[in-house]
Amino acid sequence: MRIGVIGAGSVGGTLGRRWAERGHEVLFGVRDATDEKVRRLLSASGGRARAGSVEQAGAFGEVVVLATPWSAAESALRAAGDLRGKTLLDCTNPLKSDLSGLTIGHTTSGGEQVAAWARGAKVVKIFNTTGFDNMADPEYKEGPATMFYCGDDSSAKTTAATLAADLGFDPVDAGPLVQARLLEPYALLWITLAYKQGLGRSFAFRLVRR
Amino acid sequence: MRIGVIGAGSVGGTLGRRWAERGHEVLFGVRDATDEKVRRLLSASGGRARAGSVEQAGAFGEVVVLATPWSAAESALRAAGDLRGKTLLDCTNPLKSDLSGLTIGHTTSGGEQVAAWARGAKVVKIFNTTGFDNMADPEYKEGPATMFYCGDDSSAKTTAATLAADLGFDPVDAGPLVQARLLEPYALLWITLAYKQGLGRSFAFRLVRR
């Protein structure tokens, strides 16, 4: 397949290099194709990938891969030219620079609302990210399902984690309560996979470590 | 531990039953403690759980568990009384009734914005939910890392899934492009675990099946 990769950083570089190794034709679209980092990347790709302008990458690819920082995404797409009818793989995330949230679309969460309603309570968001079958039996062949939790009170979080471990879950601390903005969409992902994508309820998410 | 579980549906019922089995003292807070479903739940809990009003559950628990539908959460918390200083486990999700999204806090996504910028392109959101180390090597002891993707064009999605499988990922279709509202927070969860919660980049999410 002819793949135009816009951006040659960690993500674009790794994807393009590996696709080139697998026999795909890869053209990296970058600002400066003579840049030392780009040359090292081409060399690491065993000469099977090339570099050119963002416009060339957009024109070259049957598949175009957007792998820029979010702040550069709009201008990169403009530079890429007409992409009508092409497959565009969007690998970006609209991250705030301090990773405190997403810059668009995400403004609050149910967990924060609950904390506002239950004034003074030590709210922990937990047991919202999987189905009740998994609560009844969190053990999978490969190990226990992961249970993420978040909150602002560390002793309450320890209690919550203990109660999750009591049921057989692998509890993982996801940070402060504002992270409910992540755990609620995560829950909806599980729910839509179960009920809309046809997976049913017999699956779980597991955090695996090397 | 003394646990007050508000709501005795699938989630609250399962959690309370299992905690009771593990030796915790459980009081379900429900609207009608004589309801047939509640009686069956208490019987399934081997007599180790009791049922009472929401107010009683709120007063009883060192830990209070909110396991109502989102639409009932505010009134349930009011009925639960003063929860100051208590640990409150929030298991709710502010779901739209058709599961098309979250009712608060989530209004758009980078993926949808990219589709608006790249008019006519067949946008697939993919390769945004994990780190480049995992793109270089998605294989874990337990099996390959999962790669979620979403988009509105099925042929473009097939291409994207093939390219993910080419790298060794287990590709999982997460639905239409609007699901980028879930996959971007999912990405930020990975990122914050890696960089703020101290996990580093040597972990991945895996969807496991029974």
Side-chain angles (χ1 to χ4, degrees):
Chain A
M1 212 169 276
R2 288 197 319 281
I3 308 177
V5 180
I6 302 175
S10 308
V11 168
T14 302
L15 290 172
R17 171 176 67 77
R18 292 210 57 225
W19 282 321
E21 288 167 4
R22 303 276 301 160
H24 295 290
E25 291 181 67
V26 172
L27 179 65
F28 291 105
V30 294
R31 267 178 291 199
D32 177 6
T34 65
D35 182 88
E36 180 55 30
K37 272 193 195 161
V38 174
R39 300 172 79 118
R40 271 205 300 272
L41 175 61
L42 297 185
S43 148
S45 305
R48 278 169 296 221
R50 289 171 295 149
S53 67
V54 172
E55 187 180 4
Q56 286 173 322
F60 174 79
E62 304 163 79
V63 172
V64 177
V65 178
L66 180 65
T68 65
W70 177 250
S71 55
E74 183 175 9
S75 62
L77 286 170
R78 277 219 199 93
D82 187 355
L83 300 177
R84 272 178 289 189
K86 298 199 177 202
T87 291
L88 174 62
L89 306 188
D90 172 18
C91 316
T92 66
N93 284 298
L95 303 175
K96 292 188 185 171
S97 58
D98 64 355
L99 306 182
S100 64
L102 296 163
T103 57
I104 68 172
H106 297 77
T107 55
T108 187
S109 66
E112 291 161 273
Q113 180 62 70
V114 161
W117 287 330
R119 197 153 311 217
K122 302 167 183 171
V123 176
V124 181
K125 187 95 206 182
I126 190 168
F127 301 118
N128 71 308
T129 51
T130 198
F132 64 90
D133 311 68
N134 289 329
M135 296 174 189
D137 177 14
E139 194 62 32
Y140 280 70
K141 286 185 292 287
E142 304 173 16
T146 295
M147 180 53 72
F148 290 108
Y149 60 95
C150 65
D152 293 334
D153 183 282
S154 63
S155 70
K157 287 170 75 167
T158 301
T159 300
T162 303
L163 288 173
D166 263 4
L167 303 185
F169 282 106
D170 173 28
V172 173
D173 185 351
L177 188 62
V178 67
Q179 296 279 91
R181 297 178 190 192
L182 311 184
L183 297 189
E184 291 168 14
Y186 189 93
L188 186 54
L189 179 62
W190 191 94
I191 291 165
T192 51
L193 289 170
Y195 297 110
K196 293 196 163 177
Q197 296 300 118
L199 272 69
R201 292 198 309 264
S202 296
F203 73 95
F205 297 140
R206 234 174 92 65
L207 188 154
V208 293
R209 296 168 171 87
R210 291 211 191 268
Chain B
M1 211 170 276
R2 288 197 319 279
I3 307 176
V5 180
I6 303 175
S10 309
V11 167
T14 303
L15 290 172
R17 171 176 67 76
R18 292 211 57 225
W19 282 321
E21 287 167 5
R22 304 275 300 159
H24 294 289
E25 291 181 67
V26 172
L27 178 67
F28 290 106
V30 294
R31 266 177 293 199
D32 177 7
T34 64
D35 183 86
E36 179 55 28
K37 272 191 195 163
V38 174
R39 300 172 77 117
R40 271 205 301 272
L41 175 61
L42 297 185
S43 147
S45 305
R48 278 169 296 221
R50 289 172 294 150
S53 68
V54 172
E55 187 180 4
Q56 286 173 320
F60 174 80
E62 304 162 81
V63 173
V64 177
V65 178
L66 180 65
T68 65
W70 177 250
S71 56
E74 184 176 7
S75 63
L77 285 171
R78 275 218 200 92
D82 187 355
L83 301 178
R84 269 178 291 187
K86 297 200 178 203
T87 291
L88 174 62
L89 306 187
D90 171 19
C91 315
T92 66
N93 284 299
L95 304 174
K96 292 187 184 172
S97 58
D98 65 354
L99 306 183
S100 64
L102 296 162
T103 57
I104 68 170
H106 296 78
T107 55
T108 187
S109 66
E112 291 160 273
Q113 179 62 69
V114 162
W117 285 333
R119 198 153 309 220
K122 301 166 182 170
V123 176
V124 180
K125 187 93 206 184
I126 189 169
F127 302 118
N128 71 308
T129 51
T130 197
F132 65 89
D133 311 68
N134 289 329
M135 296 175 190
D137 178 14
E139 194 62 33
Y140 280 70
K141 286 185 292 286
E142 304 172 14
T146 295
M147 180 54 72
F148 290 108
Y149 60 95
C150 66
D152 294 333
D153 183 281
S154 62
S155 71
K157 285 171 76 168
T158 302
T159 300
T162 303
L163 288 172
D166 264 5
L167 302 184
F169 282 107
D170 173 28
V172 173
D173 185 351
L177 189 62
V178 68
Q179 296 278 90
R181 297 178 190 191
L182 310 184
L183 297 189
E184 292 169 13
Y186 189 93
L188 186 54
L189 179 63
W190 191 94
I191 291 165
T192 50
L193 289 170
Y195 296 111
K196 293 196 162 177
Q197 296 301 118
L199 272 69
R201 291 198 308 265
S202 295
F203 74 95
F205 297 140
R206 239 174 88 64
L207 189 155
V208 293
R209 296 169 171 86
R210 290 212 191 265

